[in-house]
Amino acid sequence: MMSDSAAFDPDVNEKYVDEAKSAADEYAADGLTELELCAQYCRSCTVSVQRHFHVRSLGEVCRRAMRVGEEAFPLDLVEELAQDDDGDVRQLVAEQLGVLAEALRESRARQEDEVYTGLLCVAFLLVEDDVDGVVSAAEDAVASVAGLLEGHDARELLLTQIANLATCEEEEIRVSGAKILGSLAAVLGPEVSASRLAPLLVTLAGDEQFQIREATTRAVAAVGAAARNEDAESTFETAFRALAQDDVWSVRRAVAETLTSMSACLSSGAFEALVADLFEPLANDVSYQVRVAMLENLGPLISALGGERASASLVDHFVSAARAESGQSSGTSGGALQLACAFNLPGVALAIGRARWHEIREAHATLADSVQWRVRRTVACSLHEVAKILGGDAADADLSPIFEETLKDTDEVRFGAVSNLAAFVREIPPEKRKRHLRSIAGIAESQQQSARGDAVGNWRLRCALALQLDALSEIVSQRDNEEFVLPLALRLLRDPAHAVRAKAVGCLGAVLRNTARGPAATWREGGVGKTVSDLKRMATNPGWMDRQAYVQMCGAFSAQVDPRVVIEELVPLLVMSADDAVPNVRRELAATIATLQANPSFAALPDLRDAVARLRDDRDGDVARTARGCAFEDRGGMGRTGLAALEFASTGLRSPLR
C-alpha cells in the first residue's frame, strides 16, 4: 500500500514534470520515495505520454525498491492499473508482469503468499481483456508469475484458473487457455503436466472451433516434453495424429510447423514412426500453405532425426525444396522456401555427416547461385560451418569456388563471407589458401577506390575485414602474412572511415606478432621491420590523424606485443607526442599512458612519468583532466636493469630510460 504522503498533490506533480530526471536520493528530500512518486504519476498524471512512461517504468522501479527492502510491493496499484480505462495502460501493465514477478522473486523472504496469488489473479484478469495486445502480453507473462507459487493451495488456484479458461464458453478465452497450457508445462513439472494438463489438452484438441485446435496443436509438444511420461506418451501422440488429419488447413499447418518439436516428448522409435506416417501426407497436402510449412521445417526435422534415421526420401525432398522457383520477388513463397533451406542446410549437413554430403551437394550449389540475394547471403554466412563439417580437400573442392564467387557478389552477400573469413580459411589445406588471400586483398583495394567517390563507401564490409586479420594471421604462413595480411592491415589503417581505422589499430599488433613469430630481433627484419618503420613514420606525419593513430597503436600494442619491442621501438616517439600541437593527440597520449601504467613492464619508465607531468599542466582542459586521472608512479617495473638485461639492440632514437 502507498503511504499517506504519496497522495497526489498538483504542486508536487507540476514540479516533477519539470524535473523528470531527478535522482532517487532527491525524492527523499520531498518526503517521497521513487516508488511513491512513480505511483503518483501512474494514478493521477493527466499528461498521457508522461503517465505511460511511468507505467512502463513501474517494473524496474519496483525491482529497485524491493532490493532496498523498506517498502511493500504495490499490489493495489498494479490491480488498479490492470482495470484502467486506457487500453494502453493495461497493455503496459501486462508487459510489466514478468519484471514485477522478478521483483517479487528477489524479495521472496519479505512477501506474503497473498501477494503472489494477487499478481497471478491480475495476470488472468488481463488474459480476459478485450484488447488483443493486452491478452497476448498477459498470456506470455502467466508462466513467469506462476513460477513464484510454491504452496499446494497456490498451485491449486493456478490449475483451477487454467481449467476455467480451457472450459470457458467464450472461444477467445479457450484459445488463451490452450496457449497458456503450453507455457505452464515447464513450470509445473512432469507429474502435474501428465496428470492435470494432458487431459485438458485432449479435450481442447477435440474442440469444435478450429482456432482452439490450432492453438492446442502448438501446446501438445511443450506439455509432452515436460511430462516425459511413457504412459502419457501415447496420449500426446494420439492427439497429434488426430490433429494431423483435421479438416481445416490451418490446423494441419500447425502440425507441420510443430512436428519437429514432438521429438522432445516421444521416444526415438515413436518419433521416427510418427515422421514416417505424417511427413508425406503433409508434404503433399491439398493445401499449398501446409505443403510449404512442412518443407520449410524439413531441415530441422532431418536434424532431429539424425543422419542414421533420416531417410533418403526426406533428404531428396530437401534438395527439391532448394530448387524452388523464387520468381521475381524475394517475398514469394519460393524465395521463402529457398531461404529456409539455406538457413537449415548446415544443420542438415551436420546431421547426415560427411559421408552423405554428396546427397545435398547439389542443393548447396543451387542455393549459392540463387537469384535471391538474401538466400546467397545466408549461404555465405554459413560457408565456414559447412567447411568444418567437410574439412580439408572436400571443403576446398566443393566450397572454395563458391567462396570466390561470393567475394565477387554484392556487398550484402560478401559481408557474410568476409565476417567468417578466418574460420573458412582455417578449414582449407594450407597450400590452397593463397588464392583466397589475393581475393580478399582485392576487395579492400576496390572498396577503398570506390570510397574515394562517396566519402567512405561500404565501411562496414572493410570493418568486418579488419576484425578478421588477427585470427587470419595466426593460420597463414609468415610469408603470406608479409605478402598479403600486413599490407592489408596497413591499407585499412589509412581507411577514410574512422571505424575501420579503429579496428585496424586494434588488430595490427597481433598481426605483427603472428608474423614475426620469433626473437625480438625479427621485428627489424623483412616485412615486419618495414611495417614497423612505416608505423614510426606516422608519429611525425603532418596529418594529425596519423599521429593520433600512432598513439592509439602504442596502447593497443602493450597488450599484444612483447614489451621489449614497444619500449625500444615505439615509446621514444610516443612520449614526443606530449608536445604535439593538436589537443586530440595529446589527450589520446594521456589515455594511452593510463593504459600502459597497468603493465609493470612500463610502470617505471621515467619518460612516461615526465610526459604525464607535462600533460597535467596542459593548456587544454580535457587533456589536463585525462592526465590527472592517470596515477602513474614508480611500481618497481622493468627499470634500467630490466631493460639492459633484455639485450635488445638500440634503435638510435632517444632512449626512454636516459
Side-chain angles (χ1 to χ4, degrees):
M1 297 287 292
M2 298 293 102
S3 67
D4 293 337
S5 62
F8 189 79
D9 184 332
D11 294 333
V12 174
N13 182 44
E14 182 177 354
K15 174 179 179 181
Y16 279 95
V17 167
D18 296 331
E19 300 180 4
K21 294 184 179 180
S22 295
D25 58 352
E26 294 177 348
Y27 304 151
D30 295 308
L32 294 174
T33 66
E34 184 185 16
L35 180 55
E36 289 171 338
L37 185 71
C38 183
Q40 278 195 352
Y41 277 112
C42 289
R43 281 193 167 104
S44 308
C45 182
T46 57
V47 181
S48 178
V49 173
Q50 192 170 21
R51 186 180 185 220
H52 290 171
F53 169 81
H54 285 281
V55 175
R56 185 180 293 110
S57 63
L58 179 60
E60 288 300 328
V61 171
C62 273
R63 288 188 69 172
R64 290 193 289 271
M66 295 303 101
R67 289 193 190 110
V68 174
E70 296 178 354
E71 296 180 83
F73 182 81
L75 180 60
D76 56 341
L77 172 63
V78 177
E79 292 172 338
E80 186 178 326
L81 295 174
Q83 301 175 68
D84 197 272
D85 292 336
D86 187 341
D88 290 336
V89 169
R90 299 197 305 275
Q91 182 166 341
L92 289 170
V93 172
E95 292 170 352
Q96 293 293 304
L97 287 175
V99 183
L100 292 169
E102 187 61 31
L104 283 174
R105 186 174 287 106
E106 293 178 359
S107 61
R108 175 177 292 278
R110 302 190 305 273
Q111 303 297 335
E112 300 290 336
D113 290 342
E114 288 76 8
V115 176
Y116 307 136
T117 55
L119 191 62
L120 180 68
C121 291
V122 169
F124 279 112
L125 173 67
L126 293 171
V127 165
E128 299 186 30
D129 200 275
D130 56 0
V131 177
D132 290 343
V134 177
V135 173
S136 178
E139 289 170 350
D140 293 339
V142 167
S144 297
V145 179
L148 297 170
L149 307 179
E150 290 185 343
H152 176 268
D153 292 343
R155 288 293 179 97
E156 284 299 318
L157 172 63
L158 170 63
L159 291 169
T160 300
Q161 292 278 23
I162 288 294
N164 291 339
L165 293 181
T167 57
C168 181
E169 293 183 358
E170 295 185 34
E171 173 188 332
E172 293 83 359
I173 294 179
R174 296 203 303 280
V175 170
S176 294
K179 293 178 179 178
I180 294 172
L181 276 173
S183 63
L184 279 179
V187 176
L188 295 177
E191 183 178 345
V192 176
S193 295
S195 62
R196 304 289 291 274
L197 301 188
L200 290 175
L201 271 182
V202 171
T203 300
L204 291 171
D207 196 281
E208 62 182 9
Q209 296 297 327
F210 76 89
Q211 295 94 335
I212 297 164
R213 299 197 302 276
E214 182 180 345
T216 302
T217 301
R218 304 183 191 282
V220 167
V223 177
R228 248 340 194 183
N229 185 305
E230 292 183 2
D231 295 332
E233 182 178 293
S234 60
T235 301
F236 297 119
E237 183 180 354
T238 301
F240 197 79
R241 286 179 179 273
L243 291 166
Q245 299 175 9
D246 199 277
D247 293 335
V248 180
W249 67 266
S250 64
V251 178
R252 300 196 304 277
R253 182 183 62 181
V255 170
E257 292 172 344
T258 56
L259 177 57
T260 302
S261 303
M262 291 297 290
S263 64
C265 61
L266 299 178
S267 64
S268 59
F271 177 63
E272 186 176 355
L274 183 69
V275 172
D277 292 342
L278 298 189
F279 174 77
E280 289 291 346
L282 293 171
N284 296 285
D285 196 273
V286 294
S287 167
Y288 180 74
Q289 299 287 345
V290 177
R291 297 198 304 272
V292 169
M294 189 67 263
L295 292 176
E296 284 183 343
N297 288 275
L298 179 53
L301 185 62
I302 293 174
S303 298
L305 284 168
E308 295 181 0
R309 294 186 292 136
S311 66
S313 174
L314 287 178
V315 177
D316 285 343
H317 273 286
F318 183 82
V319 174
S320 298
R323 300 194 202 103
E325 292 291 336
S326 52
Q328 300 298 316
S329 168
S330 61
T332 64
S333 57
L337 188 54
Q338 277 200 328
L339 187 60
C341 290
F343 183 81
N344 293 318
L345 192 138
V348 173
L350 181 63
I352 66 176
R354 186 184 308 174
R356 296 181 64 183
W357 163 251
H358 63 278
E359 296 181 41
I360 60 171
R361 182 191 294 115
E362 177 193 345
H364 189 260
T366 300
L367 295 169
D369 196 39
S370 172
V371 298
Q372 304 297 331
W373 68 265
R374 290 181 176 85
V375 175
R376 300 196 306 276
R377 181 182 61 182
T378 304
V379 172
C381 289
S382 63
L383 278 173
H384 66 293
E385 295 292 351
V386 179
K388 290 178 184 176
I389 297 168
L390 300 182
D393 292 331
D396 180 59
D398 291 341
L399 303 183
S400 285
I402 294 175
F403 183 81
E404 288 295 316
E405 288 301 314
T406 297
L407 296 181
K408 301 173 187 176
D409 211 317
T410 62
D411 285 349
E412 293 86 355
V413 177
R414 286 195 286 185
F415 187 87
V418 169
S419 297
N420 301 287
L421 168 65
F424 177 79
V425 173
R426 182 178 286 111
E427 304 305 324
I428 302 300
E431 66 277 8
K432 306 280 185 67
R433 294 171 178 170
K434 183 170 290 189
R435 58 176 167 170
H436 298 316
L437 297 178
R438 289 196 186 96
S439 300
I440 290 297
I443 283 184
E445 184 175 357
S446 63
Q447 277 278 307
Q448 289 181 328
Q449 287 175 351
S450 64
R452 297 189 186 106
D454 65 344
V456 295
N458 190 349
W459 62 269
R460 290 180 177 85
L461 181 61
R462 302 194 301 279
C463 199
L465 179 56
L467 288 171
Q468 293 294 305
L469 296 185
D470 182 354
L472 186 62
S473 66
E474 291 182 355
I475 59 178
V476 301
S477 66
Q478 182 176 3
R479 178 176 296 180
D480 286 344
N481 270 333
E482 292 184 354
E483 184 178 355
F484 298 107
V485 183
L486 272 178
L488 180 55
L490 288 175
R491 180 184 291 276
L492 295 174
L493 193 62
R494 294 179 173 86
D495 195 273
H498 169 75
V500 178
R501 296 195 303 272
K503 299 302 181 186
V505 165
C507 76
L508 187 56
V511 172
L512 284 167
R513 181 195 65 219
N514 294 332
T515 304
R517 295 179 185 171
T522 58
W523 285 73
R524 298 245 180 86
E525 302 169 355
V528 175
K530 181 180 180 301
T531 300
V532 172
S533 297
D534 290 342
L535 297 180
K536 288 159 70 172
R537 280 193 286 272
M538 292 176 64
T540 56
N541 193 296
W544 70 269
M545 286 193 295
D546 273 2
R547 301 197 302 274
Q548 184 185 46
Y550 177 83
V551 174
Q552 292 170 335
M553 277 189 295
C554 291
F557 280 23
S558 66
Q560 301 170 328
V561 174
D562 189 330
R564 297 173 295 183
V565 176
V566 178
I567 292 171
E568 282 292 327
E569 295 290 343
L570 305 179
V571 168
L573 288 170
L574 173 68
V575 296
M576 292 169 60
S577 301
D579 300 320
D580 198 282
V582 179
N584 283 6
V585 178
R586 302 196 303 275
R587 183 168 61 249
E588 196 65 49
L589 174 62
T592 294
I593 293 177
T595 300
L596 294 175
Q597 69 161 353
N599 189 326
S601 298
F602 306 103
L605 299 181
D607 278 9
L608 291 181
R609 293 200 304 274
D610 293 345
V612 169
R614 292 201 301 277
L615 293 173
R616 284 172 179 165
D617 297 326
D618 196 278
R619 59 186 179 276
D620 184 273
D622 287 343
V623 175
R625 278 192 295 273
T626 304
R628 291 184 191 120
C630 175
F632 204 92
E633 59 185 6
D634 189 350
R635 298 185 180 181
M638 188 174 288
R640 274 180 217 277
T641 304
L643 186 62
L646 294 175
E647 298 180 356
F648 195 81
S650 173
T651 62
L653 297 169
R654 181 168 66 95
S655 170
L657 300 180
R658 291 175 185 166

